[in-house]
Amino acid sequence: MVIVEMSSTMSSPAERRAKAGVIVTHPNRDKSVVQATRATVILLLLTSAALILVVTVSGWNVLESAVVVQIAYVVVYLTFAFYALRWNRGVLPVAAVLAVLLAIFALVAGPEWFDRNKSGFAGTDYLNAGLLGVLTLLIVPVQILLVAFTMRGFSQGWNVELERRDPAAAADHYGDAPPHPA
């Protein structure tokens, strides 16, 4: 009984938005600079996922335990792109942290691909090891840009909501306004 009473007094975000006579607006989302930042973050997340996927698939036979981490990065980055598309700014700082970690991994792993072009190393299946080294090192500037744009997006206030009364609903609820005492 107590739980029912508590849950009836608490309102969820969906219930707050569904109040009669209230319009919820997101003023920062209408700005072109915010929309450009969101589009750039999504593009950088998708580009990162594509680069990681190309390196993972092309170097599958020589990568050892890193395959699981790389596939996890692809899945997480695609998920973050989906949530950024839905204006969720909560994923932005997490994406920035993961981008820093990935940039460190790519910076360390990139030169190792160039060593695989020498004799005595197992070859890769689809792409030349030198090209994989270039693609791996290309991940580093993409991650630096991702960090910059995610922090910019986080500071732009994608989550700011303003509530205002709906004039049409207010007129229906209260009836016609009384005449002005002129």
Side-chain angles (χ1 to χ4, degrees):
M1 184 71 169
V2 174
I3 295 173
V4 173
E5 290 175 12
M6 289 178 59
S7 65
S8 65
T9 60
M10 297 170 52
S11 63
S12 68
E15 290 172 357
R16 284 195 313 258
R17 289 189 189 110
K19 285 184 194 175
V22 176
I23 297 174
V24 177
T25 59
H26 299 89
N28 294 339
R29 294 181 186 177
D30 296 333
K31 299 175 184 174
S32 60
V33 68
V34 175
Q35 292 176 355
T37 301
R38 181 180 77 144
T40 305
V41 167
I42 293 168
L43 179 68
L44 288 170
L45 285 167
L46 294 176
T47 302
S48 298
L51 284 171
I52 297 166
L53 191 62
V54 167
V55 170
T56 303
V57 169
S58 298
W60 188 273
N61 63 337
V62 294
L63 295 172
E64 293 179 6
S65 62
V67 172
V68 175
V69 174
Q70 289 173 320
I71 291 173
Y73 258 99
V74 171
V75 170
V76 168
Y77 273 14
L78 292 176
T79 305
F80 284 175
F82 171 75
Y83 281 112
L85 184 66
R86 296 183 63 196
W87 289 103
N88 186 332
R89 80 173 198 152
V91 299
L92 297 178
V94 180
V97 169
L98 290 177
V100 169
L101 290 173
L102 183 60
I104 293 169
F105 290 146
L107 196 58
V108 170
E112 298 299 320
W113 283 112
F114 297 114
D115 291 341
R116 291 207 157 270
N117 272 340
K118 299 174 183 162
S119 63
F121 286 101
T124 58
D125 289 336
Y126 302 108
L127 296 177
N128 183 351
L131 181 58
L132 287 175
V134 170
L135 292 175
T136 303
L137 290 177
L138 184 62
I139 291 173
V140 175
V142 172
Q143 298 312 298
I144 292 170
L145 287 171
L146 182 60
V147 169
F149 279 97
T150 54
M151 290 299 96
R152 181 177 182 188
F154 189 74
S155 68
Q156 289 174 339
W158 295 1
N159 63 331
V160 173
E161 294 180 346
L162 295 177
E163 292 182 354
R164 61 181 177 90
R165 293 187 187 271
D166 185 8
D172 291 341
H173 182 65
Y174 297 111
D176 293 331
H180 191 277

